[in-house]
């Protein structure tokens, strides 16, 4: 797999318009099962064809149970300068429900160990709205994150995916289905609490201390180009083409060995580009750049937008600020629905 990924980097080295990289992200699946030497070998391969900005952000997604002392010691001597730790919760009841391999104590100790080895730029995931949890436990989860001095938190409502153990338990009556009103309450407490503790709420599910915004995810939200390597990886040219690699590992390796890129692609219509800009932009503190819309789309598109947003502006669901269309933060929990109302069909 590593050899195939290195070869894919070679085959796609000319796809990015800018050869100078601002961020590199090891994520999807569990890249922390790799040794630090294997991670370094992939970074070295990237450096054969691309150069790094001096303040490049190189993130590794990791499970708490993978972050032992030896791994962190070796990783601290690599280019990796940011860890995204799949904490999920600091309570064992939540972790059992989510079928996580680590315990609550491992979640806490992995963060402390990473900090001991010099990793200050840390992000953790926290899940709210668990049916085995309650508001007081959620408050304690957030208080623990603050006490651990984590500068970036990504937080998501627990969702019930089809054909999962959680769905099965709900159908059998072993646990109750998550309640939207409880998730709504916990979301707004999350936002207020973290802002009171010096965090910026810069995307619906993301909070950061100043200087610790995720460069990588921010690039997605600002429609910048990116190149994805490996099975299931997605890429975007920054304009109108999205592509994705096959998800099957063996098919991926076989095609790469035959010098065939294992990807499919789609050309986004103007309508699809417009809808994406609405869906993504309205989830962020930056909103949708109306000047960019004017430059990219015809007057027909803009006339429809003006007609659609007028009533929502009057209702206070949307605001226009410095030529940007935004959803006021108090309505962010409804952002996907508000954006969908603005879609062109």
């Amino acid at each position: 797999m590593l050899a195939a990924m290195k070869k894919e980097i070679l085959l796609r080295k000319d796809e990015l318009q800018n050869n100078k990289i601002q961020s590199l992200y090891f994520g999807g699946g569990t890249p922390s099962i790799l040794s630090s030497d294997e991670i370094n070998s992939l970074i070295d391969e990237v450096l054969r064809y691309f150069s790094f900005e001096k303040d490049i952000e190189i993130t590794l997604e990791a499970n708490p149970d993978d972050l032992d002392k030896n791994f962190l010691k070796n990783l601290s001597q690599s280019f990796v300068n940011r860890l995204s730790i799949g904490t999920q919760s600091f309570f064992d009841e939540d972790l059992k429900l989510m079928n996580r391999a680590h315990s609550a104590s491992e979640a806490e100790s992995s963060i402390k160990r990473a900090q001991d080895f010099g990793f200050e730029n840390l992000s953790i995931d926290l899940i709210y709205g668990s049916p085995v949890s309650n508001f007081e436990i959620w408050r304690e989860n957030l208080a623990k994150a603050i006490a651990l001095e984590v500068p970036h938190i990504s937080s998501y409502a627990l969702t019930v995916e089809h054909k999962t153990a959680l769905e099965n338990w709900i159908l059998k009556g072993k646990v109750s289905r998550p309640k939207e009103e409880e998730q709504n309450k916990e979301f707004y407490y999350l936002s207020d609490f973290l802002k009171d503790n010096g965090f910026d709420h810069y995307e619906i599910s993301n909070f950061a201390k100043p200087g610790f915004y995720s460069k990588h995810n921010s690039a997605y939200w600002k429609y910048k180009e990116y190149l994805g390597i490996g099975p299931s990886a997605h890429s975007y040219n920054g304009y109108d083409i999205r592509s994705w690699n096959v998800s099957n590992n063996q098919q991926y390796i076989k095609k790469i060995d035959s010098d065939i890129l294992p990807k499919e692609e789609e050309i986004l219509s103007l309508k699809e580009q417009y809808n994406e800009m609405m869906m993504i932009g309205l989830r962020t503190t930056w909103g949708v750049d109306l000047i960019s819309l004017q430059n990219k789309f015809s007057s027909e598109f803009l006339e429809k937008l003006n007609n659609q947003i007028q009533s929502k502006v009057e209702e206070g669901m949307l605001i226009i600020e410095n030529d940007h269309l935004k959803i006021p933060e108090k309505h962010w929990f409804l952002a996907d629905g508000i954006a969908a109302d603005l879609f062109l069909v």
Side-chain angles (χ1 to χ4, degrees), residues 99-117:
N99 202 28
R100 302 295 294 178
H102 65 276
S103 65
S105 61
E106 283 177 315
E108 182 175 350
S109 61
S110 68
I111 293 168
K112 291 178 177 178
R113 274 196 303 274
Q115 291 167 331
D116 288 343
F117 281 99

Side-chain angles (χ1 to χ4, degrees), residues 29-87:
T30 312
S32 54
I33 64 170
L34 296 174
S35 70
S36 58
D37 285 343
E38 289 169 329
I39 293 167
N40 284 334
S41 74
L42 285 170
I43 295 174
D44 287 341
E45 196 67 19
V46 174
L47 278 169
R48 290 183 64 182
Y49 310 107
F50 302 92
S51 61
F52 290 166
E53 294 279 4
K54 63 179 181 180
D55 59 347
I56 187 171
E57 172 191 277
I58 301 182
T59 304
L60 177 78
E61 281 189 0
N63 288 329
D65 41 309
D66 289 331
L67 297 176
D68 60 38
K69 286 184 178 180
N70 286 335
F71 180 77
L72 284 166
K73 179 182 178 181
N74 292 328
L75 196 67
S76 68
Q77 298 165 6
S78 74
F79 280 105
V80 174
N81 55 21
R82 184 175 185 268
L83 295 178
S84 178
I85 304 175
T87 306

Side-chain angles (χ1 to χ4, degrees), residues 79-146:
F79 280 105
V80 174
N81 55 21
R82 184 175 185 268
L83 295 178
S84 178
I85 304 175
T87 306
Q88 313 295 356
S89 175
F90 294 107
F91 285 85
D92 284 323
E93 297 89 339
D94 288 336
L95 295 172
K96 288 175 184 175
L97 181 77
M98 292 180 273
N99 202 28
R100 302 295 294 178
H102 65 276
S103 65
S105 61
E106 283 177 315
E108 182 175 350
S109 61
S110 68
I111 293 168
K112 291 178 177 178
R113 274 196 303 274
Q115 291 167 331
D116 288 343
F117 281 99
F119 287 99
E120 296 179 0
N121 196 352
L122 297 178
S123 177
I124 64 171
D125 293 341
L126 290 177
I127 304 296
Y128 59 90
S130 164
V132 298
S133 186
N134 57 45
F135 187 70
E136 187 56 38
I137 287 176
W138 180 231
R139 289 175 62 181
E140 291 182 38
N141 257 319
L142 293 173
K144 175 71 73 175
I146 295 299

Side-chain angles (χ1 to χ4, degrees), residues 119-281:
F119 287 99
E120 296 179 0
N121 196 352
L122 297 178
S123 177
I124 64 171
D125 293 341
L126 290 177
I127 304 296
Y128 59 90
S130 164
V132 298
S133 186
N134 57 45
F135 187 70
E136 187 56 38
I137 287 176
W138 180 231
R139 289 175 62 181
E140 291 182 38
N141 257 319
L142 293 173
K144 175 71 73 175
I146 295 299
L148 289 168
E149 299 182 339
V150 174
H152 189 284
I153 296 172
S154 298
S155 193
Y156 309 95
L158 181 70
T159 55
V160 182
E161 301 293 342
H162 188 45
K163 293 184 178 179
T164 59
L166 177 57
E167 183 189 52
N168 188 42
W169 292 336
I170 289 171
L171 292 174
K172 290 182 177 179
K174 291 183 178 180
V175 296
S176 59
R177 188 172 290 276
K179 295 180 174 63
E180 185 174 336
E181 61 271 21
E182 288 298 317
Q183 292 185 337
N184 192 332
K185 178 183 176 182
E186 292 181 2
F187 170 78
Y188 285 111
Y189 177 80
L190 158 76
S191 179
D192 290 341
F193 180 81
L194 291 183
K195 283 189 291 184
D196 287 345
N197 282 277
F199 284 75
D200 295 334
H201 191 178
Y202 71 108
E203 193 269 347
I204 286 180
S205 302
N206 286 272
F207 306 78
K209 292 283 185 73
F212 288 94
Y213 288 27
S214 168
K215 291 182 182 179
H216 198 80
N217 289 342
S218 294
Y220 293 143
W221 301 326
K222 293 180 178 180
Y223 330 114
K224 293 183 179 180
E225 64 172 344
Y226 53 87
L227 180 62
I229 301 296
S232 297
H234 284 60
S235 303
Y236 176 54
N237 72 346
Y239 296 99
D240 60 351
I241 299 177
R242 289 199 184 281
S243 65
W244 57 94
N245 286 345
V246 296
S247 58
N248 182 279
N249 289 354
Q250 293 306 316
Q251 288 181 24
Y252 170 82
I253 292 171
K254 185 177 180 181
K255 288 195 173 188
I256 289 289
D257 284 347
S258 301
D259 292 334
I260 300 171
L261 287 177
K263 67 171 184 173
E264 296 180 43
E265 66 179 36
E266 64 175 342
I267 298 177
L268 301 173
S269 67
L270 280 174
K271 187 183 294 184
E272 288 169 329
Q273 293 174 54
Y274 175 90
N275 289 346
E276 279 201 7
M277 289 180 76
M278 286 295 155
M279 176 58 77
I280 297 170

